[in-house]
Amino acid sequence: MAGIARRWERQGRRIGVVPTMGALHDGHASLIHHAAAENDVTIVTIFVNPLQFGPTEDFRRYPRTLGRDLALARACGADVVFAPTARGLYPPGFQTHVELGALAERWDGEWRPTHFRGVATVVAILFQLTRPTTAYVGRKDYQQACIIRRLVRDLAFPLTVRVLPTVRERDGLAMSSRNASLGPAERARALVLSRALRAAAACIRGGERRAAAVASTMRTVIRRAPGVRVDYAVVVDAETLEPLTLLWGRVALLVAARVGRTRLIDNLLVDVS
Ligand code: AMP
């Protein structure tokens, strides 16, 4: 991979890179389409990264559909799919990690203590190997996108990060590889995440400026669904991800909840003038 990417780099080709964990869906497809349209060559990486899963999380259960993924990546315009093994990516004796700051401490960072360190470390390795001109990530994983942007600035990776909007199912559910593990009843209940975000946005449009009231609207909507447990439902500054008291400027609504054994996240950006 490094050989191919370095050759493209020497030839002055623009390289678009889309890092994923596979089980590709229309959300990934949107990233690949953009990458293919805006670059000379496009690399999709597929790697279920053990470093970013906690000991009790779904690493083993995570869906793996490489054959389908290759076909989808090709159809969307990818030139190369890089799908390394963990042994291939992490050399024997591997022990170096990217250490993150405040952006990674709250929200998913609290619920998944080693998650973002694993993400940042693998992304740094993947960027070294694939030499992106532009890397494409989804807003669906809002905190992750903020952390990757920060990583690129702070460690001076010579590339641009493009954050693209969340692709949703017709009924509003944010597309996610994890949706495949929802049973039919759970799939219906999972809709409360996007519903809660829309209710909160409506509440803000109606003039509500108290973050606590907006957050409480989200929690109320989510709690209506039986068997859905809220990890967090918060209103934060869209840049720093710090919690707000009064809403002003660009605001991010973030939710995470467990539907049965499946943990889902979603978010919405709101401009509060
Ligand atoms: P994953 O395979 O879940 O690690 O995601 C790989 C990339 O696709 C990340 O940048 C995600 O934010 C992005 N992504 C996942 N789901 C969506 C979606 N529904 N819409 C847009 N981007 C997404």
Side-chain angles (χ1 to χ4, degrees):
M1 182 70 258
I4 294 171
R6 276 203 294 263
R7 192 167 65 242
W8 283 341
E9 200 179 37
R10 278 199 304 275
Q11 293 167 345
R13 299 218 213 173
R14 288 168 303 173
I15 307 176
V17 173
V18 183
T20 81
M21 297 206 299
L24 301 183
H25 50 65
D26 285 354
H28 301 113
S30 153
L31 303 182
I32 304 169
H33 276 301
H34 276 85
E38 297 169 4
N39 297 277
D40 301 310
V41 284
T42 297
I43 301 168
V44 174
T45 70
I46 296 182
F47 180 57
V48 185
N49 174 28
L51 269 194
Q52 71 189 66
F53 287 80
T56 60
E57 293 181 358
D58 56 351
F59 176 69
R60 278 167 191 282
R61 287 196 298 128
Y62 199 85
R64 289 163 173 85
T65 59
L66 188 59
R68 275 191 58 239
D69 292 351
L70 293 176
L72 187 142
R74 182 195 295 268
C76 295
D79 297 282
V80 166
V81 170
F82 177 51
T85 60
R87 272 207 205 151
L89 202 72
Y90 299 120
F94 179 86
Q95 55 185 273
T96 309
H97 298 82
V98 175
E99 186 185 326
L100 299 166
L103 268 181
E105 271 157 28
R106 289 183 191 274
W107 321 130
D108 258 24
E110 254 171 64
W111 286 88
R112 309 182 69 189
T114 58
H115 172 64
F116 287 124
R117 170 177 121 135
V119 170
T121 301
V122 81
V123 162
I125 298 169
L126 291 170
F127 286 170
Q128 291 291 1
L129 295 172
T130 58
R131 317 301 254 197
T133 313
T134 307
Y136 294 79
V137 302
R139 192 179 294 151
K140 147 74 168 46
D141 300 272
Y142 190 74
Q143 189 173 9
Q144 170 175 287
C146 295
I147 288 168
I148 293 175
R149 271 209 177 125
R150 194 71 249 172
L151 165 80
V152 162
R153 272 188 223 140
D154 290 351
L155 298 188
F157 280 93
L159 61 97
T160 304
V161 179
R162 279 262 273 144
V163 183
L164 294 175
T166 302
V167 177
R168 296 177 181 280
E169 305 280 1
R170 276 168 175 274
D171 58 9
L173 181 68
M175 289 199 177
S176 161
S177 306
R178 289 193 167 94
N179 293 350
S181 30
L182 298 169
E186 291 175 338
R187 169 68 182 71
R189 287 176 194 153
L191 280 180
V192 289
L193 274 81
S194 54
R195 232 178 252 150
L197 293 169
R198 287 199 305 273
C203 178
I204 298 170
R205 277 198 304 277
E208 182 59 77
R209 293 294 179 267
R210 293 165 305 165
V214 176
S216 141
T217 300
M218 291 197 279
R219 268 186 228 108
T220 307
V221 174
I222 298 175
R223 287 208 185 107
R224 255 182 237 147
V228 180
R229 281 163 303 165
V230 186
D231 282 355
Y232 58 81
V234 290
V235 188
V236 305
D237 179 279
E239 299 298 318
T240 63
L241 303 187
E242 291 299 312
L244 294 168
T245 311
L246 282 178
L247 309 193
W248 183 252
R250 256 164 56 89
V251 162
L253 310 173
L254 307 178
V255 297
R258 282 162 291 151
V259 183
R261 288 167 76 200
T262 309
R263 188 172 184 278
L264 301 175
I265 57 173
D266 199 354
N267 68 82
L268 202 61
L269 285 181
V270 182
D271 245 317
V272 183
S273 55

